[in-house]
Amino acid sequence: MTELKVLIVDDSPFMRKVFSDVVDMDSAFQVLATACDGEEAVKMTIELMPDIITMDLEMPRMNGIEALQKIMETRPTPVIMLSAVTDNGTRDTIRALQFGAIDFIRKPDGAVKLDIRQVGEQLLEKLRIVAETIDKGPLRLLPAVVEKAAEKAPPSLASSAPLVSPVRQSVEEAKEAERMAAATAEPPLDKQSAGKAASAAMEQPVKEKPASALSETDKAPRLPRRETEVRRNEPPARPSASASRKLPPALDRPDSLRKPVKPPVAGSPAASAKKDAKPPVRQPGVAIAASPPAASAAVVPPISAEPKPTTSFTQIVAIGTSTGGPRALHEVLTGIPADFPAPILVVQHMPPKFTHSLAQRLDSFCSIHVREATDGEQLETATAYIAPGGKHMSLTKDAFGKYRVKLTNEGPRSGHMPSVDVLFESLIGHRQLKRYAVLMTGMGSDGAKGMKALLDDGAQTTIAEAEQTCVVYGMPRSAVELGATTHQVPLQSIAPLLVQELKSRKT
């Protein structure tokens, strides 16, 4: 194997020295250079062309997130993030993984008492995973998740905005369009009504940019062909952003893609506040949207009733993933409609606290609900449950015939906790449910044996992500080699396939 050159980026001279010494301990790697902030890192990446980069999150002048985005725009390179175990640190780490970072390690921190030697071992393990993947062929990185407008706003603005769900925003948009249509219809408005209509028009929000429309900064050029060449897998072409605009955003969006929301209880503070509420402002992570001007005397169709999750179901989906998983999960879960007739259990190899941030981040983008699982909670349709880091997640059935989450900490399975094998094996024997299992990008073989046992037990569909879109083709490859899969498809086809399979077997 050719010696791989590593660029180390950290604003602390001490940490640069520590990580340089760790990297130099392994003859497979050589420290190419060190950088003290994001600006220097971007410059060195272009000039020195490292094979791998370790990137601190919090740095002066240009932080790790900004530097990562610029590197992915100019010269895509495998990046391992160094993250502090704080609320901001975990949130930013999940963002970094969705922007193209291949993996992360927890940075030594006095609050969590992480041992320098332990962190060094974790770094070498991540570097070896990248090296092994590069050795098998060009590394594949997916396009970055499109950052939404509210997330790009200055912190002072974002922090002052009230929290509003995407569905609530869409409903308000539709109601605003109705008010505008009534304002432009005959007969002419009297003075008092005209004043109200003008006020409503002034308060309408700004037009939402479709999430599928990538800006120029989201389109990274190809690397020159080298031993660490990065191939980006473009998703299937989507309709132009300039397509039909006849309906307001809330009505132009299919009912099946709206996240269900529960109405406030009559007499509650929320219900009382709703009467006097102004048009809401988007929360961070959710784009600000607006209704286009309504056509004169236009008739706006009524909003269909939102689908509601239910605890009664006959189908269930289980997903397992590791390296490259957060970006892959984003691709799959955002493609699941709000009326999905099954719960989705997810194991992503990740430490405690980070899985909570992952669930929050995915929930802000998805039509279905996404949350970190809690022990004993009852499963519902159209909801994805992320296994907490440091605990195994299983499916269990209570005395009343209801399905629930079971969390345990009996110790790692093949080095992993949560373990995909543990999840898949917990579905064995539940033949009254139509069961669907998915294995996506990740190093190793976790989940392969569990998927084979599940298939032998009569599972309807077992899906492995195709090599062409895997960041690391390890777990899916193991499942294929065991004969555990019924389908092998690219990442972008997994959600449509699941929807089709469940629909065709719905009873």
Side-chain angles (χ1 to χ4, degrees):
M1 182 187 295
T2 305
E3 189 177 60
L4 299 180
K5 298 177 176 61
V6 182
L7 172 63
I8 294 173
V9 186
D10 201 298
D11 62 328
S12 164
F14 172 72
M15 293 311 303
R16 291 199 298 271
K17 178 66 167 63
V18 167
F19 288 127
S20 294
D21 291 344
V22 167
V23 172
D24 283 336
M25 287 171 56
D26 194 315
S27 60
F29 307 100
Q30 174 192 352
V31 176
L32 178 64
T34 62
C36 63
D37 59 46
E39 285 188 7
E40 193 172 9
V42 174
K43 181 180 179 182
M44 287 185 172
T45 299
I46 296 172
E47 294 177 352
L48 304 179
M49 298 188 297
D51 298 309
I52 310 173
I53 301 171
T54 68
M55 180 82 69
D56 189 19
L57 270 173
E58 299 179 6
M59 296 181 290
R61 291 207 299 174
M62 180 185 290
N63 64 35
I65 292 283
E66 295 168 327
L68 172 69
Q69 290 176 295
K70 289 186 177 295
I71 287 169
M72 291 304 170
E73 292 165 11
T74 55
R75 187 183 182 276
T77 305
V79 177
I80 298 172
M81 303 301 296
L82 306 178
S83 170
V85 188
T86 63
D87 288 342
N88 287 337
T90 56
R91 282 195 296 268
D92 286 342
T93 299
I94 300 304
R95 290 179 64 206
L97 294 174
Q98 292 188 325
F99 291 158
I102 191 169
D103 213 330
F104 74 97
I105 61 170
R106 289 173 289 179
K107 191 175 180 182
D109 188 305
V112 293
K113 309 295 182 185
L114 283 176
D115 182 76
I116 292 289
R117 181 182 58 81
Q118 180 185 1
V119 173
E121 291 173 354
Q122 292 175 359
L123 176 59
L124 283 177
E125 179 185 353
K126 302 296 185 183
L127 288 171
R128 288 166 186 154
I129 289 174
V130 177
E132 183 177 339
T133 305
I134 291 173
D135 191 50
K136 292 178 179 177
L139 190 65
R140 296 166 288 271
L141 296 179
L142 291 166
V145 170
V146 179
E147 185 74 307
K148 296 188 176 183
E151 290 183 331
K152 295 180 180 179
S156 58
L157 296 178
S159 61
S160 63
L163 300 181
V164 182
S165 74
V167 174
R168 173 65 181 274
Q169 180 73 14
S170 297
V171 172
E172 293 294 335
E173 291 165 0
K175 291 180 178 179
E176 184 66 29
E178 290 177 353
R179 288 195 292 268
M180 292 187 65
T184 56
E186 297 295 339
L189 298 174
D190 56 31
K191 184 175 181 180
Q192 183 178 2
S193 300
K196 292 181 179 178
S199 176
M202 292 175 66
E203 292 177 349
Q204 64 176 323
V206 181
K207 178 73 178 179
E208 179 177 2
K209 179 181 176 182
S212 60
L214 294 177
S215 67
E216 289 302 317
T217 58
D218 292 316
K219 300 178 182 178
R222 289 183 179 273
L223 263 174
R225 180 168 289 278
R226 310 175 63 249
E227 60 203 19
T228 56
E229 177 188 1
V230 178
R231 293 195 319 222
R232 304 177 69 245
N233 300 282
E234 297 295 340
R238 299 183 180 180
S240 167
S242 62
S244 174
R245 300 171 186 257
K246 294 182 181 180
L247 293 177
L251 301 176
D252 202 23
R253 187 182 190 191
D255 291 343
S256 63
L257 292 181
R258 300 187 194 140
K259 181 179 292 188
V261 277
K262 297 180 181 179
V265 178
S268 67
S272 301
K274 183 178 179 181
K275 296 179 181 179
D276 304 319
K278 295 182 179 180
V281 180
R282 287 275 189 173
Q283 65 183 26
V286 181
I288 300 175
S291 305
S296 178
V299 178
V300 180
I303 300 175
S304 302
E306 302 292 349
K308 295 181 179 179
T310 174
T311 58
S312 298
F313 51 85
T314 59
Q315 307 184 90
I316 191 166
V317 176
I319 298 175
T321 186
S322 186
T323 307
R327 178 63 185 85
L329 284 172
H330 178 98
E331 183 71 29
V332 172
L333 296 182
T334 55
I336 302 296
D339 60 353
F340 196 66
I344 302 173
L345 302 179
V346 179
V347 164
Q348 160 71 58
H349 293 162
M350 194 171 275
K353 296 188 178 181
F354 290 90
T355 46
H356 178 69
S357 294
L358 173 64
Q360 287 185 320
R361 173 81 172 171
L362 289 171
D363 186 67
S364 70
F365 283 89
C366 295
S367 298
I368 61 171
H369 295 281
V370 183
R371 59 176 176 259
E372 188 178 52
T374 58
D375 187 39
E377 72 175 306
Q378 194 168 330
L379 297 180
E380 294 182 333
T381 59
T383 305
Y385 301 85
I386 310 291
K391 292 183 181 295
H392 292 303
M393 180 170 70
S394 304
L395 173 70
T396 187
K397 190 175 184 180
D398 66 19
F400 301 98
K402 295 298 184 180
Y403 294 96
R404 297 182 181 274
V405 169
K406 180 180 180 181
L407 299 179
T408 58
N409 55 1
E410 66 264 25
R413 170 84 74 88
S414 300
H416 302 295
M417 192 164 71
S419 161
V420 185
D421 275 326
V422 170
L423 172 61
F424 286 177
E425 289 169 6
S426 73
L427 272 62
I428 295 173
H430 292 284
R431 297 188 178 182
Q432 65 277 20
L433 290 176
K434 296 179 178 69
R435 296 156 295 172
Y436 308 82
V438 182
L439 267 180
M440 302 193 299
T441 176
M443 178 62 69
S445 60
D446 187 26
K449 292 180 179 178
M451 178 177 277
K452 181 64 167 67
L454 195 53
L455 181 64
D456 292 343
D457 191 55
Q460 274 62 35
T461 303
T462 53
I463 303 169
E465 182 184 351
E467 182 177 6
Q468 68 198 66
T469 56
C470 281
V471 174
V472 180
Y473 187 55
M475 291 158 58
R477 180 200 295 273
S478 297
V480 171
E481 291 175 348
L482 278 178
T485 64
T486 60
H487 297 74
Q488 300 173 48
V489 297
L491 177 64
Q492 294 83 5
S493 300
I494 292 176
L497 177 58
L498 283 172
V499 172
Q500 175 187 330
E501 290 287 301
L502 269 72
K503 184 177 180 180
S504 67
R505 292 185 172 89
K506 189 175 181 180
T507 55

